[in-house]
Amino acid sequence: GTQVKDVVIKPDAPNTLLLDKHADYIAAYGSKKDDYEYTLSEYLRMSGIYWGLTVMDLMDQLHRMNRDEILEFIRSCQHECGGISASVGHDPHLLYTLSAVQILSLYDNLGSINVDKVVEYVKGLQQDDGSFAGDKWGEIDTRFSFCAVATLALLGRLESVNLEKAVEFVLSCMNFDGGFGCRPGSESHAGQIYCCTGFLSVTGQLHRVNADLLGWWLCERQLPSGGLNGRPEKLPDVCYSWWVLASLKIIGRIHWIDKAKLRTFILACQDEETGGFADRPGDMVDPFHTLFGVAGLSLLGDEQIKPVNPVFCMPEDVLQRIGLHPEGFLTSENMLEMSR
């Protein structure tokens, strides 16, 4: 038979959660402002801050981050058009606009930006077919549909775009295998599936998904190592522990994968020296994989981590404070009710 692409987990790989090390790693990361690695990532700084703050909040360590500096940074990244950029002097984009709104929600501080202008910006990116461009350059992708509705939902302004058309577009990207691609006709990919199931959850249209068909495709992403890949023939990666698992949670099929084996894989991706998670065991750690490793463990029910919301990748308690109760969205429980 064909050789499955996979990793081998060594017997001495970490098998317990090193929470304190991860908190120290993230707390130190932002303080190295002149670090090569830090300056290299300027083009996605806003998302980097979101990854770091969210994982700190999930570990109950948000107080260790510099709140005032972060709020000031976000204010300085909002443009005249209302959109928010990755860093000062960069162009605004929906991806960074969502990251900024997520950060402000963690801090309960949406008032520090001009919310009406953000809504105007998002609204202006919707196209005639219901899709969303990521920015003024016009790239269309179902990720941006998710960013648009997630941003508006957090701001309590979901009705300011044409939701019916938006839903129509996302459904036109559904494939015969139950999955979704970035545009109509594009191949199914776990990252896009997360965006589209999240989108349909926010817009109250999850019943349009074939949960069994899609759930089967998502479960097929688990490899013998326990790790999950993003599409067939690819290596496992901790970030898919989030995208695949959150999608399964949203459609009520999380019990279909081997949770114990996935947990073993995620824990093996920790660096015992520095803290942080890598994409695969033994690789370099970074804040991106650290968030998705910890958030994945939260979805698996780890008691040391706050419960994470599978749609927004934010702590459940933050969304409850905003009034976005998880039961307001279709979750596994009421999906099952509907399918009876």
Side-chain angles (χ1 to χ4, degrees):
T2 55
Q3 194 51 43
V4 179
K5 282 192 182 161
D6 200 3
V7 298
V8 176
I9 294 175
K10 297 195 177 89
D12 63 343
N15 57 9
T16 56
L17 179 57
L18 311 167
L19 265 191
D20 296 343
K21 291 232 157 162
H22 303 318
D24 291 344
Y25 165 69
I26 296 289
Y29 191 86
S31 61
K32 306 191 187 91
K33 297 262 189 300
D34 45 2
D35 190 341
Y36 172 70
E37 196 183 351
Y38 186 85
T39 50
L40 202 65
S41 61
E42 195 194 8
Y43 68 95
L44 43 78
R45 175 69 29 82
M46 189 67 73
S47 293
I49 295 173
Y50 155 72
W51 302 327
L53 293 180
T54 301
V55 73
M56 286 301 261
D57 199 356
L58 287 171
M59 298 187 292
D60 219 4
Q61 297 287 317
L62 188 60
H63 58 272
R64 292 177 62 179
M65 307 302 270
N66 190 332
R67 181 176 178 274
D68 295 340
E69 190 182 311
I70 289 161
L71 295 176
E72 185 45 50
F73 172 73
I74 293 176
R75 272 195 291 274
S76 65
C77 290
Q78 186 172 27
H79 291 245
E80 201 39 55
C81 65
I84 297 168
S85 54
S87 199
V88 183
H90 290 234
D91 285 338
H93 196 287
L94 255 181
L95 287 170
Y96 307 118
T97 302
L98 172 58
S99 292
V101 168
Q102 287 172 307
I103 295 163
L104 294 173
S105 303
L106 292 179
Y107 279 131
D108 203 6
N109 209 291
L110 286 166
S112 61
I113 49 167
N114 185 331
V115 169
D116 290 338
K117 295 285 272 188
V118 173
V119 173
E120 207 175 294
Y121 175 72
V122 175
K123 202 177 156 160
L125 292 171
Q126 189 171 26
Q127 311 299 300
D128 292 341
D129 65 358
S131 66
F132 284 84
D135 61 14
K136 65 180 182 191
W137 308 110
E139 185 196 354
I140 305 294
D141 190 313
T142 46
R143 285 188 309 161
F144 308 145
S145 296
F146 172 72
C147 291
V149 299
T151 299
L152 295 174
L154 290 168
L155 298 174
R157 303 286 288 274
L158 201 48
E159 68 305 317
S160 52
V161 290
N162 186 333
L163 288 177
E164 204 176 323
K165 272 277 209 249
V167 168
E168 223 171 275
F169 174 76
V170 167
L171 291 173
S172 75
C173 300
M174 196 192 293
N175 292 323
F176 67 91
D177 56 18
F180 293 85
C182 51
R183 285 180 286 282
S186 304
E187 69 162 327
S188 296
H189 181 286
Q192 306 296 149
I193 288 169
Y194 165 73
C195 290
C196 294
T197 53
F199 170 93
L200 293 169
S201 176
V202 172
T203 53
Q205 298 293 317
L206 256 188
H207 57 280
R208 315 286 282 274
V209 171
N210 183 333
D212 286 347
L213 188 61
L214 176 55
W216 178 249
W217 190 94
L218 290 165
C219 290
E220 292 262 270
R221 307 278 60 76
Q222 191 164 33
L223 295 161
S225 65
L228 302 169
N229 63 18
R231 50 184 203 271
E233 311 294 325
K234 297 291 182 189
L235 281 168
D237 183 323
V238 158
C239 68
Y240 293 113
S241 305
W242 173 257
W243 288 318
V244 173
L245 206 56
S247 303
L248 283 167
K249 175 79 173 169
I250 293 167
I251 64 171
R253 301 293 183 275
I254 196 167
H255 54 289
W256 282 12
I257 63 154
D258 187 328
K259 291 185 180 181
K261 284 184 80 169
L262 176 56
R263 182 178 164 82
T264 299
F265 172 82
I266 296 175
L267 292 173
C269 295
Q270 300 174 101
D271 187 314
E272 290 174 292
E273 303 297 309
T274 62
F277 287 75
D279 58 349
R280 286 179 275 284
D283 287 358
M284 279 285 290
V285 300
D286 59 63
F288 172 82
H289 289 94
T290 302
L291 167 61
F292 293 126
V294 170
L297 291 170
S298 174
L299 284 182
L300 291 173
D302 195 300
E303 298 284 309
Q304 304 172 75
I305 306 167
K306 285 196 204 176
V308 68
N309 181 280
V311 174
F312 290 92
C313 194
M314 292 163 66
E316 250 351 326
D317 61 358
V318 172
L319 295 175
Q320 284 172 350
R321 192 178 65 214
I322 295 172
L324 282 183
H325 293 286
E327 40 301 356
F329 299 115
L330 289 173
T331 54
S332 45
E333 287 67 61
N334 38 22
M335 276 285 291
L336 292 171
E337 284 308 308
M338 286 165 45
S339 59
R340 284 193 184 118

